[in-house]
Amino acid sequence: MGDARVGLVIEDDHDIRELVRVVLTQAGFDVTAASSGAEGVLAAKELDPAVITLDLGLPDIDGFEVARQIRQFSDAYIVMLTARAEELDTLIGLESGADDYLTKPFRPRELRARVAAMMRRPRSTSDVAEENGAPSGAANAESIFSHNGLDMSYDSRTVTVDGKELSLTRTEFDLLHALLEAGRMVRTKADLVRRLRDEPYDVGSYISEADERSVEVHMGNLRKKLGDSAQSPRWLQTVRGVGYRLAPAEH
Ligand code: CA
């Protein structure tokens, strides 16, 4: 679903809106801009974009509520753009369904890099089918994972729990996939940030504390959707101060 070439900019500041429009256009998107939250939600519904940049401080409804509303019908990759003073709020933004965030002022190439990394991660069954077996890291045949009643097919991007299909965002899916793939090996939060940015695990690029906390928020969202318990997990086990791994197999 969704047009892989459509981008949407929701931003009331004219200069930033035009800057983001240029960056996304250069990245190959057909860009539509909206200057209020309500307009943005409508445009998202109408255009079904693959990428949305979302300003937190909008004149009508705030970015959190916009993200929540868009998530009701869209699995677009949502990047929240926040002022530095609002940095803490980014965590609430991720809780409300955004995938990632950038703090203003940001460098255009940083936004370009985030979007490019995301576009390399397949989004849905149809995207994968179109690429015809192209995705890296899953080269050999089918990638199917089963653990404690959860089944994931990497190729069709589907997850079921006790036979019931879940609707995960691309970010949630990729985090879950990283843990299933690692088995009982611990994935650090930095590992998982790199995974989402499509960087090798051991490249040693700088990962901020805020980036690590964003992984905690995505894991919290994922845990909620799975109906998993942090205290006695069926799937997502927290390794305090380090990261996450798959809970032991049930007997
Ligand atoms: Ca604003």
Side-chain angles (χ1 to χ4, degrees):
M1 309 286 269
D3 193 327
R5 299 263 57 109
V6 172
L8 173 63
V9 182
I10 307 175
E11 171 70 67
D12 64 325
D13 181 300
H14 175 267
D15 292 348
I16 297 175
R17 194 167 60 231
E18 291 314 305
L19 172 69
V20 175
R21 187 205 291 278
V22 168
V23 171
L24 292 185
T25 302
Q26 284 172 348
F29 290 94
D30 289 333
V31 182
T32 296
S35 54
S36 74
E39 207 187 307
V41 173
L42 271 181
K45 212 171 260 177
E46 218 161 89
L47 304 169
D48 198 7
V51 174
I52 299 174
T53 73
L54 177 57
D55 177 30
L56 188 56
L58 290 163
D60 53 347
I61 37 180
D62 69 37
F64 304 135
E65 183 54 28
V66 174
R68 244 174 252 127
Q69 291 188 18
I70 290 176
R71 269 292 170 254
Q72 306 293 312
F73 55 83
S74 166
D75 70 343
Y77 176 72
I78 303 178
V79 188
M80 212 152 228
L81 301 182
T82 64
R84 183 144 317 263
E86 298 164 331
E87 193 159 17
L88 270 182
D89 293 345
T90 55
L91 297 176
I92 305 172
L94 301 176
E95 273 167 15
S96 53
D99 289 277
D100 208 346
Y101 69 92
L102 281 175
T103 310
K104 296 173 196 168
F106 57 89
R107 283 175 305 219
R109 67 184 168 91
E110 204 170 340
L111 175 59
R112 205 172 315 147
R114 298 283 175 89
V115 170
M118 180 280 311
M119 291 307 283
R120 286 194 293 272
R121 288 155 46 193
R123 182 159 77 140
S124 65
T125 313
S126 54
D127 290 354
V128 174
E130 277 162 28
E131 283 170 20
N132 200 12
S136 59
N140 22 350
E142 271 184 301
S143 297
I144 305 248
F145 300 89
S146 286
H147 191 74
N148 294 346
L150 180 150
D151 295 290
M152 168 186 280
S153 161
Y154 183 85
D155 301 320
S156 66
R157 305 286 288 185
T158 53
V159 175
T160 59
V161 167
D162 302 326
K164 193 169 158 266
E165 188 164 347
L166 296 186
S167 160
L168 302 182
T169 64
R170 185 183 331 218
T171 296
E172 290 156 0
F173 184 95
D174 288 339
L175 289 174
L176 181 59
H177 180 238
L179 292 192
L180 286 166
E181 215 179 29
R184 290 281 289 153
M185 215 164 75
V186 179
R187 282 283 180 233
T188 67
K189 289 172 204 168
D191 284 344
L192 294 168
V193 173
R194 293 194 179 101
R195 169 64 163 253
L196 295 178
R197 304 225 170 122
D198 199 26
E199 292 170 3
Y201 283 132
D202 54 355
V203 75
S205 62
Y206 175 70
I207 304 293
S208 72
E209 202 176 311
D211 290 334
E212 296 198 346
R213 288 176 65 191
S214 74
V215 165
E216 291 171 20
V217 176
H218 287 307
M219 280 295 183
N221 291 344
L222 180 57
R223 197 169 259 148
K224 244 178 262 166
K225 286 193 184 173
L226 292 172
D228 204 7
S229 146
Q231 283 70 41
S232 50
R234 229 173 133 187
W235 302 288
L236 309 180
Q237 188 173 68
T238 303
V239 182
R240 208 172 287 274
V242 182
Y244 301 89
R245 70 172 166 193
L246 212 53
E250 288 164 352
H251 300 291

